[in-house]
Amino acid sequence: MPRTFESAKIPALRMSDSPSTLTNASWPDSPALLYERDATGRLLRVGGACERFLGCAPANAIGRNLEDWFRASAASLAHWEDLVTNSSRGESDLPVELELIAENAMPLWVEIRETPGQSDDTWSGVIIDITMRRLRETQIVEAQRLENLGLLAAGIAHDLNNILSPILIAGSLLEPLAQEESHRRLIQVLQGSAERGARIVRQILQFAQAHDESRGPVEIRLILRELMLVVEETFPRTINLVCNCPPGLPAVQADPSQLHQLLLNLAINARDAMPEGGNLTFSVETFLLQEPPPHTPVAVNRAQWLRITIADTGIGMTPAQLEQMWTPFFTTKPSDRGTGLGLSTVRSLITAHGGFIEVESQPGAGTRFHVNLPTLPQAKPPAESPSPPPTSAPPGTRVLVVDDEASVRDVIRETLGSRGYEVLLAADGVEALSIINFNPRHISLVITDIHMPHMTGDILVNVLRRIAPDLPVLAISGHPNAHERWQGPRQAQPTSSLAKPFSGKVLLSTVNALVQKRHAKTPPEAPPPA
């Protein structure tokens, strides 16, 4: 466990005290290190928690230079040298934060404050442990970084999804028209590439927004399927990927984004452990928990558990590394490639889900992480009901399409027009209202984007509910989960929603279902004579 202190428990330090008071006897339980040094940094007296900070007894520390404990970090050594220089100029009233590495101990982040000593060219100082404070600060910065990344990713996703939507919709429209097999194959390649781009966008968003917790029944095979798509796209080709996930596995109660994040973190660690390539294997199995794992709060329930194993053939870890691997800030990677928070975050996420993690590793023999989660034998995600096959539009069916992207409007018009729908187009909510106000009963369905200039989709729907309460509205948006963050009042919700990008088949099926339901209640009116 990281060595910490409670600042409220530190007795008041009087720097005016005689240096002879700086002894372990006078400060036996002090969580701070007290010292007196000369102008070069050589320790003259030491008191307080010497072994805790310096890893040795006071007698072995006296006579040594404090910079010996800062040499492992070039930045900390430079800060220490600045502190010595400033103290000699009488500018030592501000604290300095450094990384201190004791002998045979974990690194600590410490705060040092000095004041002139009792004799000339001597300085008295106090060192306190701020490791946990630095950890909290790092976690806050990381959370803010992810939040900013999520906002940036959402904006990029909106633009990319608007670009991919016409490709997917047009592919569905062109495929039946292709006369030659080679043309059909090209269209399928086009659609496949657009679908892969959409999956990549979703994965980026899922990672960037992993802090939004929403737990429910999750099928691990779906998480692994999405994870494998990311790994295949981003990991080096020298890494051979294997996924053994049998069908019929029970569901787990989890936040899918957090589960995806922790498995991705473990996969990235495995990748970094195989710089020359190797095998990365994901496997899933069930087991009965017979007795509680050591040092975990998991209770024995003798119920079925799910074990997800991530195994690599990399460099492995030594016993010393295994002992320290869960400690925050501990990492075997260079400072520019890791913060040492990945594995501690993984374990905290698994613990929060009521599970536990185990690890097996030997130098040169690779590493195996076992993520163990309790299952939900009677709670499985509901199966998706098959969409009804698209049919031709009933006579006189008019659909108003509202979107600020001309390419999206045009491709939806062509797709619906191929099935007999009469399609009207509007570039924003203001233009849409000018069309609907002419006679709302002539419109069978409104398809509207949510984020548009002049008048947004939620405002448009709110107005429509007042002038045509029974008019069905299909909301479409390139923003992730836009329908879940609908801004309008409850009575102004859209009838249904689709997230961009979507295929022409999905569009036709959704439109057909809404129109059929509408016409079952109110047959369409004939348009007024010109």
Side-chain angles (χ1 to χ4, degrees), residues 225-274:
R225 184 173 66 185
E226 294 294 322
L227 179 65
M228 291 298 291
L229 291 174
V230 175
V231 171
E232 288 173 353
E233 292 288 341
T234 58
F235 280 26
R237 301 303 180 192
T238 54
I239 295 179
N240 179 46
L241 301 175
V242 179
C243 184
N244 300 318
C245 186
L249 293 169
V252 296
Q253 184 80 5
D255 180 318
S257 295
Q258 292 183 347
L259 188 55
H260 182 277
Q261 177 192 352
L262 69 89
L263 293 176
L264 181 60
N265 280 355
L266 294 175
I268 290 174
N269 280 349
R271 177 202 65 187
D272 294 342
M274 299 183 290

Side-chain angles (χ1 to χ4, degrees), residues 62-354:
I62 292 175
R64 293 180 59 180
N65 198 303
L66 260 178
E67 73 175 25
D68 293 345
W69 286 273
F70 302 129
R71 290 187 180 277
S73 170
S76 292
L77 181 59
H79 285 311
W80 167 253
E81 292 173 347
D82 291 340
L83 175 65
V84 172
T85 302
N86 293 337
S87 294
S88 64
R89 297 173 181 172
E91 302 172 357
S92 59
D93 54 332
L94 294 178
V96 177
E97 297 182 3
L98 306 173
E99 186 179 22
L100 181 148
I101 301 180
E103 298 174 355
N104 302 319
M106 288 293 298
L108 295 174
W109 276 98
V110 299
E111 180 181 281
I112 303 179
R113 189 185 296 269
E114 287 193 341
T115 191
Q118 294 295 307
S119 58
D120 294 339
D121 295 330
T122 63
W123 284 264
S124 298
V126 179
I127 300 179
I128 60 175
D129 183 353
I130 60 169
T131 302
M132 293 307 296
R133 191 189 81 190
R134 289 289 295 241
L135 173 59
R136 288 191 294 269
E137 291 173 351
T138 302
Q139 291 172 334
I140 291 173
V141 171
E142 180 69 9
Q144 292 173 339
R145 184 189 70 83
L146 285 177
E147 182 178 358
N148 293 334
L149 178 61
L151 294 174
L152 176 63
I156 295 174
H158 176 263
D159 295 337
L160 288 178
N161 287 334
N162 276 326
I163 293 171
L164 294 171
S165 288
I167 300 175
L168 278 174
I169 298 173
S172 302
L173 182 64
L174 293 175
E175 191 172 6
L177 304 178
Q179 299 296 322
E180 299 182 13
E181 180 63 27
S182 59
H183 293 169
R184 285 192 289 271
R185 285 198 301 268
L186 286 175
I187 293 173
Q188 291 170 357
V189 169
L190 188 72
Q191 288 182 291
S193 296
E195 290 171 354
R196 188 171 69 169
R199 286 195 299 267
I200 292 174
V201 171
R202 286 195 298 269
Q203 290 298 332
I204 293 174
L205 288 170
Q206 189 177 45
F207 177 77
Q209 299 174 347
H211 56 280
D212 296 331
E213 183 173 340
S214 178
R215 294 188 186 179
V218 173
E219 287 191 67
I220 190 60
R221 65 179 183 86
L222 300 180
I223 299 295
L224 286 179
R225 184 173 66 185
E226 294 294 322
L227 179 65
M228 291 298 291
L229 291 174
V230 175
V231 171
E232 288 173 353
E233 292 288 341
T234 58
F235 280 26
R237 301 303 180 192
T238 54
I239 295 179
N240 179 46
L241 301 175
V242 179
C243 184
N244 300 318
C245 186
L249 293 169
V252 296
Q253 184 80 5
D255 180 318
S257 295
Q258 292 183 347
L259 188 55
H260 182 277
Q261 177 192 352
L262 69 89
L263 293 176
L264 181 60
N265 280 355
L266 294 175
I268 290 174
N269 280 349
R271 177 202 65 187
D272 294 342
M274 299 183 290
E276 304 300 326
N279 296 324
L280 175 56
T281 303
F282 299 85
S283 58
V284 188
E285 62 181 350
T286 58
F287 70 100
L288 294 178
L289 184 63
Q290 299 296 336
E291 56 184 54
H295 312 298
T296 64
V298 176
V300 177
N301 54 14
R302 302 193 184 279
Q304 196 173 42
W305 282 60
L306 198 70
R307 174 176 290 136
I308 310 163
T309 300
I310 301 92
D312 65 67
T313 57
I315 58 177
M317 288 184 282
T318 65
Q321 290 172 335
L322 285 172
E323 184 178 350
Q324 300 174 2
M325 62 185 297
W326 306 117
T327 304
F329 296 119
F330 173 76
T331 178
T332 59
K333 302 177 185 178
S335 59
D336 60 341
R337 297 193 62 188
T339 62
L341 294 176
L343 287 178
S344 62
T345 301
V346 165
R347 188 167 69 165
S348 66
L349 287 177
I350 294 173
T351 302
H353 282 75

Side-chain angles (χ1 to χ4, degrees), residues 393-394 396-402 409 412-413 415-417 419-426 432 435-436 440-448 471-474 476 507-508 510-512 514-516 518-519 524:
T397 303
R398 285 164 297 281
V399 177
L400 175 59
V401 177
V402 191
R409 296 196 305 268
I412 291 180
R413 177 182 59 188
T415 301
L416 297 181
R419 294 304 177 102
Y421 291 94
E422 181 183 342
V423 182
L424 306 176
L425 301 179
I435 297 174
I436 295 173
R441 291 182 64 82
H442 295 158
I443 306 297
S444 301
L445 173 68
V446 174
I447 301 175
T448 180
L471 181 61
V473 178
L474 173 61
I476 59 176
L507 173 65
L508 288 170
T510 306
V511 168
N512 176 68
L514 293 173
V515 168
Q516 293 291 346
R518 159 78 165 176
H519 287 179

Side-chain angles (χ1 to χ4, degrees), residues 362-374:
Q362 291 182 356
T367 302
R368 296 168 62 89
F369 283 97
H370 304 290
V371 177
N372 304 287
L373 298 171

